[in-house]
Amino acid sequence: MTTRPVGVLALQGDFREHIEVLRALGAEAVGVRRPEELAEVGGLIIPGGESTVIDKLSRTFGLAEPLKAAIARGLPVWGTCAGLIMLADRISDGIEGQQTLGGLDIEVRRNAFGSQSASFEVDLEMPVLGDPPLHAVFIRAPVVEAVGAGVRVLAQLDDARIVAVEQGSLLGTSFHPEITGDYRFHEYFLDRVAAQ
């Protein structure tokens, strides 16, 4: 286990749920809203929520540039749902002026499965987590439409759409592992943080 706390970007979205899971796994977890808080963590989760709002708030709170610098330095960062969008280098359907932190050489599509009413659950084969399959919840979820050469695909739907990736110290998932009671993906991330 890392000696530095694990941060969860706490500007908007379901950051409380991630903090609860991390603490249940024995990690020290803290909300991150300011650059000085970011400087204290050994890893960071960017939660689901509204990617456009997280983008605007990260700039308003002076976090966008420190976050980009931390990603460039190799801070382990995991983005879930909107967090995945924030880590993508390219958005195929972003709104005008929308920015990302970047770092993952991928292209994502926001709300790829439709509106809130089109949310769904499915069991995903994910070799890095072993058996059984991971039960995944998709809520207005993005999908990865293209990956660069350095990106490892961790999970795909039956129709081959990509929903989990990793590249270097970065992870991204389209789904919400913090709400299912299966904490293996959080454990996978904590192992990566501890290995830094």
Side-chain angles (χ1 to χ4, degrees), residues 78-82 84-85 108-109 112-113 124 136-144 155 157 161-165 172-177:
W78 170 24
T80 64
C81 199
L84 168 65
I85 297 169
V108 298
R109 177 172 296 280
F113 302 98
L124 290 175
V137 176
F138 293 79
I139 304 169
R140 293 182 61 214
V143 71
V144 178
L157 298 175
R161 285 188 286 185
I162 299 167
V163 293
V165 294
T173 56
S174 297
F175 48 90
H176 289 266

Side-chain angles (χ1 to χ4, degrees), residues 1-8 18-19 21-31 40-43 190 193:
M1 196 64 66
T2 179
T3 56
R4 300 174 75 194
V6 177
V8 181
H18 280 289
I19 290 172
V21 172
L22 293 169
R23 289 177 177 166
L25 293 171
E28 182 185 354
V30 296
E40 298 300 317
V41 301
L190 288 173
V193 173

Side-chain angles (χ1 to χ4, degrees), residues 110-182:
R110 302 161 56 243
N111 301 335
F113 302 98
S115 67
Q116 188 93 7
S117 62
S119 299
F120 66 98
E121 301 181 24
V122 67
D123 290 337
L124 290 175
E125 297 289 339
M126 195 169 295
V128 297
L129 301 182
D131 290 324
L134 183 77
H135 190 71
V137 176
F138 293 79
I139 304 169
R140 293 182 61 214
V143 71
V144 178
E145 294 196 317
V147 298
V151 177
R152 179 184 181 197
V153 174
L154 298 180
Q156 294 174 273
L157 298 175
D158 289 342
D159 62 8
R161 285 188 286 185
I162 299 167
V163 293
V165 294
E166 68 179 342
Q167 180 181 13
S169 59
L170 304 180
L171 293 171
T173 56
S174 297
F175 48 90
H176 289 266
E178 73 281 5
I179 62 175
T180 62
D182 186 334

Side-chain angles (χ1 to χ4, degrees), residues 34-51:
R34 299 190 303 272
E36 55 269 27
E37 294 167 336
L38 176 64
E40 298 300 317
V41 301
L44 182 74
I45 295 174
I46 304 176
E50 293 287 343
S51 61

